[in-house]
Amino acid sequence: DSGVTQTPKHLITATGQRVTLRCSPRSGDLSVYWYQQSLDQGLQFLIQYYNGEERAKGNILERFSAQQFPDLHSELNLSSLELGDSALYFCASSVGKGAETQYFGPGTRLLVL
Amino acid sequence: QQQVKQSPQSLIVQKGGISIINCAYENTAFDYFPWYQQFPGKGPALLIAIRPDVSEKKEGRFTISFNKSAKQFSLHIMDSQPGDSATYFCAASARSNYQLIWGAGTKLIIKP
């Protein structure tokens, strides 16, 4: 158990819909990262927040947005969902700004029908 | 220049054999090189990491070899076991921006 929690574990929705994925980092960790992993694919870095501020942006679509709240939990919002958005979405956390161990949550499996 | 190229994409090794996964990078500012292990349905977890002040780091059956001049680093798994079957990701980052750059992953299967 990494100490990072993600909800929900599974999510089934329809094209065009909007969903929110939630992540609670390990106690004391200030950074939260979001990743997308499609079937048998690598990890695609989406975005990083550090202590409430956006710190780095990866291959995040304009339909996707995220935020980190004062209690350091983070939410990833996915809108106008397409079939191709079906994937595992991981949240990770770390103590500092990066270049140290990232602790990954169990992931949210999103299926868009 | 920000890429980390990982090979092979997949690897099958007999139980007891040595598994070797390679990564190459271009950015000479990279100074932190971790390897993550991911089992099916789980999130990746840090396996072992190295900084460029040493050429090798060993933890149990897992060893990172680092070649600074060639800008390459590799993961060696000695006496590979079926329980090592997983996807392995290399990564690299630089102090300038701390962002981890990930390799594409290697799916390792250890045959009993």
Side-chain angles (χ1 to χ4, degrees):
Chain A
D1 183 3
S2 67
V4 178
T5 60
Q6 288 186 250
T7 57
K9 286 186 179 177
H10 302 276
L11 198 50
I12 302 175
T13 188
T15 55
Q17 294 299 304
R18 173 189 169 96
V19 296
T20 297
L21 312 184
R22 182 187 168 103
C23 169
S24 292
R26 290 189 326 149
S27 176
D29 284 359
L30 297 178
S31 271
V32 169
Y33 310 79
W34 286 99
Y35 292 89
Q36 180 192 58
Q37 187 174 41
S38 302
L39 189 64
D40 285 339
Q41 296 291 310
L43 287 168
Q44 296 297 320
F45 167 68
L46 297 178
I47 197 164
Q48 177 197 359
Y49 279 83
Y50 175 76
N51 203 20
E53 300 288 328
E54 181 185 304
R55 189 169 188 284
K57 218 167 186 176
N59 301 320
I60 189 166
L61 300 172
E62 284 192 13
R63 300 183 286 108
F64 296 0
S65 65
Q67 55 183 327
Q68 187 179 28
F69 294 87
D71 66 352
L72 300 177
H73 91 271
S74 178
E75 292 181 355
L76 179 66
N77 300 296
L78 314 176
S79 61
S80 303
L81 284 168
E82 301 174 359
L83 296 177
D85 296 328
S86 297
L88 259 174
Y89 291 85
F90 286 107
C91 165
S93 72
S94 69
V95 170
K97 296 179 180 178
E100 73 264 298
T101 305
Q102 291 187 18
Y103 295 88
F104 282 76
T108 292
R109 186 174 293 279
L110 173 67
L111 180 60
V112 182
L113 299 176
Chain B
Q1 195 177 17
Q2 279 288 87
Q3 281 187 317
V4 175
K5 294 183 180 178
Q6 183 171 348
S7 62
Q9 190 174 6
S10 62
L11 181 62
I12 300 175
V13 175
Q14 288 292 130
K15 178 183 173 183
I18 302 173
S19 304
I20 302 174
I21 304 170
N22 300 299
C23 285
Y25 63 96
E26 289 294 325
N27 188 349
T28 54
F30 285 154
D31 60 0
Y32 174 67
F33 303 91
W35 285 89
Y36 280 76
Q37 180 188 53
Q38 182 183 26
F39 293 107
K42 303 288 186 184
L46 179 68
L47 182 64
I48 187 172
I50 196 169
R51 294 197 183 269
D53 51 339
V54 295
S55 60
E56 187 175 281
K57 182 173 182 180
K58 186 175 180 178
E59 288 185 4
R61 295 183 295 107
F62 300 90
T63 299
I64 298 180
S65 296
F66 182 76
N67 186 329
K68 191 172 182 177
S69 60
K71 291 183 282 187
Q72 294 175 349
F73 59 108
S74 59
L75 176 70
H76 296 238
I77 305 175
M78 310 300 287
D79 187 27
S80 299
Q81 298 298 311
D84 298 329
S85 296
T87 298
Y88 292 81
F89 293 95
C90 65
S93 73
R95 285 184 204 276
S96 57
N97 65 8
Y98 297 106
Q99 187 180 345
L100 263 184
I101 307 300
W102 294 82
T106 297
K107 188 170 185 176
L108 173 65
I109 297 172
I110 307 300
K111 296 187 86 171

